[in-house]
Amino acid sequence: MLNYDLVIIGGGPAGLAAAISAKDNGIDSILILERDKELGGILNQCIHNGFGLHTFKEELTGPEYAERFIKEVLGRKIEYKLNTMVMDLGKDKTVTAMNREDGLIQIKAKAVILAMGCRERSRGALNIPGFRPAGIYSAGTAQRLVNREGFMPGKEVVILGSGDIGLIMARRMTLEGAKVKVVAELMPYSGGLKRNIVQCLDDFGIPLKLRHTVVDIEGRDRVKAVTIAEVDENNKPIKGTEERYECDTLLLSCGLLPENELSRSAGVDLSPVTSGPIVNDSLETNIPGIFACGNVLHVHDLVDYVSKESTTAGENAAKYILSFNENDSPDRVVKINTENGVRYSVPAFVRPDKMADNLTVRFRVGNVYKNVNLCVYANDTLLQKLPKKIMAPGEMEQIILIKNKLNEVSDLNTITIKIEEA
């Protein structure tokens, strides 16, 4: 049995930022466990620019962004194990992992940070009719093939889903000589950032068809054609709206899911909306000493926000380790309610007596809203009223809760974030 103060599961941008923060806050005994052959996570295959504008005030590619954090980890001599798969996480913070060098290992930790990231929805989760020929890829798999392995998945492409990875791959495939014929999106709005719609579709003349989905895939050995159709308010295809596109490749970019099998096996409470852990203001789950950050907590649109959130998780994990006391009395907890279009919030609970002086609360909305007010209430007292010209599901929103303002409200029992008409 190995012993560490802090074990971080995942060596992507979240795990790296959390490790650096924990080290800087007084924790020396840290171990990062990463299942891939190198640190950096998904950033290693994101060779496009646009990263780091918030964190470093300059535009970087994904590998450049990751390299800056990797250098910080190496400079602090933080331990890590690569090619290591975590098999189990217990409630007592015992981590069971496996690799070729060590075989099966068990690690007892005082605190654990979950930073496993997220995965793409597979075709099996989408209920697309048609055969199962070659040429159907998730957008992330295609990105790895093109950017890391040097393979082109195909030359004539249809993309289902307008998540950021799908939009970026529309541009990437075009730049590599492929013809992207259409991007179809089931919802009445895009799932990606506005800047990606402009830079990846509009700039290359690639059509985006909202409220459309794939209704047929032709081909036995290889994709030959894909048929899309418009859908009604119940997402059922409308007869007579079918459009057939001859192609050899179908890319799926239909959403991301946090990787929470380990969280679930440990008994961590998961949100039915995000599929990620439910956390308090210190990013701690319902199990004391187990924290979560990054895309395993909720899917982010910018890696800069992942790094900032993970820095907070590392700092709070360090505080937990250094000040742990079994006899501490339970904290006063206030729930954050989300209403009128606000789907969820991270954190879902705050501790008014222990929270940071300024707490960032992040969330997404469930539809496109124009010219509205984003309102924050403490009980029935209006704390903030922020005018918003537009809010969309593809862009993460945030508000700042101020500790002093909350503590001015007598008998505080609920905080509510909701959208109101302007």
Side-chain angles (χ1 to χ4, degrees):
M1 178 78 75
L2 303 176
N3 288 279
Y4 284 86
D5 285 346
L6 176 62
V7 171
I8 298 172
I9 305 175
L16 295 174
I20 293 165
S21 176
K23 181 77 171 183
D24 290 348
N25 281 277
I27 305 301
D28 292 321
S29 175
I30 302 172
L31 178 64
I32 302 172
L33 300 175
E34 169 55 49
R35 65 184 176 188
D36 209 347
K37 62 184 179 181
E38 56 194 344
L39 296 172
I42 197 69
L43 290 177
N44 291 318
Q45 70 184 49
C46 299
I47 65 172
H48 53 280
N49 59 7
F51 300 90
L53 290 170
H54 295 266
T55 306
F56 300 110
K57 310 303 179 189
E58 60 180 304
E59 201 169 37
L60 304 172
T61 65
E64 288 172 334
Y65 187 95
E67 183 65 19
R68 296 201 177 184
F69 281 87
I70 292 170
K71 283 182 177 178
E72 294 285 335
V73 166
L74 298 179
R76 287 166 173 77
K77 295 182 170 53
I78 296 172
E79 286 186 62
Y80 61 89
K81 289 182 181 291
L82 302 177
N83 298 306
T84 301
M85 177 66 76
V86 176
M87 313 297 292
D88 187 52
L89 172 63
K91 283 187 177 181
D92 62 349
K93 298 181 280 294
T94 298
V95 179
T96 305
M98 180 187 292
N99 62 35
R100 288 181 180 179
E101 290 74 30
D102 304 311
L104 190 69
I105 53 176
Q106 282 197 313
I107 306 157
K108 188 73 176 72
K110 294 179 181 177
V112 173
I113 295 179
L114 307 173
M116 294 91 73
C118 59
R119 65 173 183 266
E120 297 175 278
R121 291 182 192 273
S122 65
R123 176 181 175 174
L126 300 175
N127 297 321
I128 300 173
F131 295 111
R132 297 294 191 266
I136 303 174
Y137 301 88
S138 71
T141 299
Q143 186 182 57
R144 184 177 182 90
L145 287 172
V146 174
N147 293 348
R148 298 296 305 276
E149 313 296 341
F151 295 112
M152 272 295 282
K155 288 292 186 182
E156 294 183 300
V157 184
V158 170
I159 300 177
L160 175 62
S162 61
D164 287 312
I165 305 174
L167 297 175
I168 288 164
M169 282 310 295
R171 175 179 64 185
R172 189 77 182 97
M173 297 290 281
T174 301
L175 292 173
E176 288 296 332
K179 172 64 176 175
V180 180
K181 297 193 169 181
V182 69
V183 176
E185 170 58 56
L186 179 69
M187 304 304 290
Y189 47 79
S190 170
L193 294 168
K194 180 67 176 175
R195 76 180 190 196
N196 284 335
I197 298 171
V198 173
Q199 295 173 2
C200 301
L201 299 187
D202 296 350
D203 288 357
F204 293 90
I206 300 170
L208 171 62
K209 299 211 169 203
L210 300 175
R211 296 214 66 88
H212 281 72
T213 192
V214 170
V215 294
D216 190 31
I217 299 171
E218 299 175 34
R220 288 277 187 176
D221 298 323
R222 177 83 192 194
V223 173
K224 291 184 177 179
V226 167
T227 301
I228 68 172
E230 190 176 350
V231 298
D232 59 21
E233 61 274 7
N234 297 315
N235 292 336
K236 300 294 184 185
I238 301 171
K239 287 186 178 180
T241 63
E242 295 85 0
E243 299 174 44
R244 183 177 180 272
Y245 295 88
E246 291 188 359
C247 62
D248 58 17
T249 306
L250 173 64
L251 299 187
L252 305 176
S253 177
C254 301
L256 300 167
L257 293 171
E259 288 266 20
N260 271 301
E261 285 72 23
L262 285 174
S263 312
R264 188 178 291 109
S265 68
V268 171
D269 289 340
L270 302 181
S271 163
V273 178
T274 65
S275 299
I278 298 171
V279 296
N280 64 16
D281 55 274
S282 68
L283 302 179
E284 187 177 27
T285 68
N286 60 298
I287 300 177
I290 296 183
F291 299 78
C293 58
N295 283 352
V296 79
L297 179 55
H298 60 139
V299 177
H300 295 63
D301 45 12
L302 297 178
V303 72
D304 301 76
Y305 294 158
V306 169
S307 299
K308 189 172 181 182
E309 181 179 274
S310 304
T311 297
T312 301
E315 179 184 348
N316 289 327
K319 289 178 181 176
Y320 173 87
I321 294 167
L322 296 172
S323 63
F324 177 72
N325 186 346
E326 287 185 350
N327 298 318
D328 280 349
S329 57
D331 298 319
R332 181 167 67 101
V333 174
V334 175
K335 187 177 187 302
I336 299 178
N337 293 322
T338 54
E339 300 175 359
N340 291 12
V342 180
R343 298 186 64 224
Y344 69 91
S345 73
V346 172
F349 299 91
V350 299
R351 301 164 303 163
D353 303 322
K354 289 189 176 181
M355 64 182 276
D357 291 338
N358 297 297
L359 175 69
T360 300
V361 178
R362 296 189 172 94
F363 58 91
R364 289 184 189 266
V365 297
N367 212 326
V368 177
Y369 297 92
K370 295 181 179 180
N371 298 317
V372 293
N373 289 323
L374 179 61
C375 298
V376 181
Y377 290 87
N379 294 347
D380 296 323
T381 303
L382 179 64
L383 293 184
Q384 296 183 46
K385 187 175 185 179
L386 306 173
K388 293 282 185 176
K389 287 187 176 180
I390 188 164
M391 301 173 77
E395 310 228 5
M396 186 175 288
E397 301 284 344
Q398 66 179 42
I399 55 103
I400 306 294
L401 290 181
I402 300 171
K403 181 177 181 178
N404 289 340
K405 292 287 186 184
L406 290 177
N407 288 329
E408 288 174 2
V409 179
S410 60
D411 298 323
L412 177 66
N413 53 52
T414 59
I415 298 168
T416 305
I417 305 172
K418 61 182 176 180
I419 296 169
E420 295 181 353
E421 291 185 6

